[in-house]
Amino acid sequence: MAAGPELGAQMMAHGVMVIEIVASSPQADLLGTARILSTQGKRDKGVQAKQQLDGLKAGSVKFAFEDESLGSKLDPKLAEPTPLPGRMMRATPAMGVGATPHKGMQLVENREMWTQFRAVQLSKEDTESLFTAFDRSTMPNEESQVLDELGTLAEHASRDGRTHVLASVCIGLVRREMNGAAESRKQACTMMLRRLLRPALLRGIAQLLPRKRDLATDIESVLARAGAEGADAVIELLTEESSASDRHVYLDVLPRLQTGVPTLVHMLGDTRWFVVRNATDLLGEMKVQSAEPALLPLLEHADERVRKSAANALINLGTTAGFRAVCEMLQADSPKTRAHAAMALASRRDERSTAQLRTVLEDEPDTEVQLALLGALGKIATPAAVEQLIRAAEPKRRLLERKPSAFRIAAIQALAEARTAAAIAAIAVLREDKEREVREAAARAYLHASRQS
């Protein structure tokens, strides 16, 4: 046994002279014994080791101590020291300079015993082979050993950046936990999943969603199995992701992980504006109508960016109360708030939004808000919205009518955004306008709209 000298040194440090392990020892007893011997010994002739072994209550493992008064109940066959064949115990750095093993210290060779007592090594087999061995196993000890190898393989793979191996192990465990296997085997899978489905590892699994599309359904099942922590991993990645395509993948999964909604709603009460904004945006994108009561107060939030996100989210929910609340923002004292409301309404491309925007445009005194209203009408692009934009882009008809060039140009740009046949026809006419700036803006808009249509 290659690890014999190191084990001997640890036994001596703990005052353990002989170890007796039953061949069919439960895995828990073996691992508990390994933990005792892996700690730093106190050179107390076995006092601490006896206390730890008694606390472990491992009936299949027995120690004989350097202090014989501590007692032992070893098999009589182990009364005399039995050196390992062909290998002498030698001093190691763990024993100290000049140290030699205690002459009475004994390592008992039992090939079946040491096969079980070995430290779990990272398996070189692939997950499929290990799961095949697990499915074919007939003894609880054999099942436990294969599961430990799978768990260790998954953890090592995660540390090495091979997250797909971690995901493969978790997918296999979830399948076996849910497929109606024997209760003992299901419980074994459940225990291993508790070990692996930790926040740091779940984040790595969730990151595979946009990259392993063929495994997306199975990965989603693992995240759902993890409950709130699985949803939290997706939320965390979603708030950090800059790629629109990857965000879309996370957004597609998140609504099905309903355990994530309470986390997002809780985030609305955070003191940091950006946390509140991110949660608001996500609830709006997910169209979580149950979040409406928590979103409505955010229209009065101290931070302008949060108010803007709240308006957009409420419009996305599509509820009557949310729509009414955003329309009321069009009458707010703050020009920026009115502009935010206009742009939020632009995402609802219907006649109700059009009517609201047309009504306030007639009386809006602030230039910046006027431009926001025109832009919103261009995005909505309903026939009534386009009609209003054509009127806004036309030359002034009355002597006292005030229609600055910037206003008309903004209307032309909105018509180009609408890109309907009526909008493009109106832009074409405006290429012959009397004002040079308007003509040039119309020419650019016509070229843009023609290419896009």
Side-chain angles (χ1 to χ4, degrees):
M1 183 176 63
E6 289 77 10
L7 176 59
Q10 285 298 99
M11 288 172 62
M12 185 179 73
H14 285 274
V16 177
M17 309 307 297
V18 182
I19 301 174
E20 178 185 349
I21 304 176
V22 177
S24 59
S25 296
Q27 195 79 8
D29 289 3
L30 300 177
L31 294 176
T33 303
R35 291 191 186 99
I36 292 173
L37 296 176
S38 66
T39 60
Q40 184 174 357
K42 292 188 175 181
R43 308 280 179 179
D44 56 3
K45 298 185 178 182
V47 175
Q48 177 179 267
K50 183 179 187 306
Q51 292 174 348
Q52 292 175 324
L53 186 64
D54 289 345
L56 184 62
K57 297 180 180 180
S60 64
V61 179
K62 299 174 184 178
F63 288 174
F65 303 100
E66 186 176 343
D67 183 350
E68 296 181 358
S69 67
L70 296 176
S72 64
K73 296 180 181 180
L74 300 182
D75 189 312
K77 292 185 294 183
L78 304 178
E80 297 297 326
T82 306
L84 291 175
R87 189 179 295 273
M88 296 296 292
M89 183 66 71
R90 63 181 183 279
T92 69
M95 298 179 186
V97 178
T100 57
H102 192 286
K103 63 181 180 180
M105 182 162 49
Q106 179 183 7
L107 296 179
V108 181
E109 183 184 35
N110 181 314
R111 294 188 183 278
E112 184 177 1
M113 175 185 74
W114 287 115
T115 298
Q116 293 190 55
F117 192 63
R118 65 182 174 82
V120 178
Q121 299 296 317
L122 179 62
S123 175
K124 294 182 180 179
E125 297 183 80
D126 59 68
T127 56
E128 185 177 349
S129 298
L130 286 171
F131 274 120
T132 299
F134 176 70
D135 294 337
R136 291 176 178 174
S137 60
T138 57
M139 300 296 293
N141 285 346
E142 189 179 356
E143 286 183 4
S144 297
Q145 182 174 329
V146 176
L147 275 182
D148 277 338
E149 291 184 7
L150 279 164
T152 303
L153 174 64
E155 290 169 336
H156 280 250
S158 178
R159 285 195 292 268
D160 295 342
R162 295 179 294 120
T163 317
H164 63 284
V165 176
L166 165 67
S168 179
V169 172
C170 291
I171 289 169
L173 291 171
V174 169
R175 285 176 179 171
R176 285 159 178 81
E177 185 187 43
M178 300 174 63
N179 69 357
E183 190 62 29
S184 60
R185 183 162 294 193
K186 288 174 63 176
Q187 290 178 355
C189 292
T190 298
M191 294 299 295
M192 183 54 63
L193 284 169
R194 289 178 184 172
R195 168 178 161 183
L196 295 178
L197 298 184
R198 306 193 305 270
L201 300 187
L202 284 168
R203 178 185 170 93
I205 293 172
Q207 283 179 315
L208 295 175
L209 282 168
R211 296 164 181 79
K212 295 286 185 179
R213 301 296 178 89
D214 56 321
L215 294 176
T217 301
D218 290 326
I219 292 173
E220 185 178 329
S221 69
V222 171
L223 295 171
R225 168 63 178 77
E229 290 185 341
D232 288 349
V234 177
I235 291 169
E236 183 180 340
L237 291 170
L238 186 52
T239 57
E240 299 172 1
E241 186 57 60
S242 58
S243 166
S245 59
D246 286 5
R247 279 179 59 83
H248 179 76
V249 173
Y250 294 135
L251 277 171
D252 182 57
V253 170
L254 196 51
R256 295 191 289 274
L257 304 176
Q258 287 299 316
T259 50
V261 171
T263 298
L264 291 173
V265 173
H266 178 74
M267 289 166 63
L268 297 180
D270 200 283
T271 56
R272 295 164 293 179
W273 70 267
F274 57 90
V275 173
V276 180
R277 183 197 61 185
N278 289 341
T280 301
D281 289 341
L282 291 175
L283 288 167
E285 291 182 74
M286 292 169 61
K287 295 180 172 56
V288 182
Q289 294 189 351
S290 61
E292 181 189 77
L295 290 171
L296 285 170
L298 297 182
L299 296 177
E300 305 294 333
H301 196 276
D303 194 282
E304 173 194 332
R305 291 160 292 193
V306 174
R307 296 197 299 271
K308 179 180 178 181
S309 289
N312 290 331
L314 287 167
I315 290 299
N316 284 338
L317 296 189
T319 61
T320 301
F323 177 76
R324 187 183 302 118
V326 175
C327 289
E328 289 173 359
M329 292 174 65
L330 293 171
Q331 307 301 327
D333 293 335
S334 168
K336 286 187 177 180
T337 298
R338 299 199 298 273
H340 292 331
M343 297 313 297
L345 286 169
S347 61
R348 277 186 57 134
R349 302 188 175 188
D350 57 20
E351 295 298 338
R352 291 179 63 196
S353 297
T354 303
Q356 291 289 331
L357 295 173
R358 292 183 68 181
T359 299
V360 297
L361 179 61
E362 298 291 339
D363 301 318
E364 177 56 54
D366 187 270
T367 301
E368 292 299 320
V369 180
Q370 289 176 356
L371 300 184
L373 291 166
L374 292 171
L377 288 168
K379 290 181 180 297
I380 292 175
T382 60
V386 171
E387 179 186 344
Q388 182 69 36
L389 290 172
I390 292 174
R391 288 176 55 192
E394 289 176 345
K396 58 184 179 181
R397 296 179 179 179
R398 297 185 298 272
L399 184 60
L400 297 179
E401 184 180 10
R402 293 184 58 194
K403 194 175 282 190
S405 297
F407 182 85
R408 296 182 64 199
I409 291 172
I412 291 171
Q413 292 171 342
L415 286 168
E417 178 75 17
R419 292 198 303 274
T420 65
I424 295 175
I427 295 172
V429 172
L430 289 167
R431 291 180 299 174
E432 306 297 329
D433 194 84
K434 293 180 179 180
E435 294 186 42
R436 179 176 58 82
E437 292 180 350
V438 172
R439 292 198 305 272
E440 292 175 351
R444 291 192 298 270
Y446 184 79
L447 183 61
H448 172 75
S450 300
R451 287 176 176 175
Q452 296 297 321
S453 60

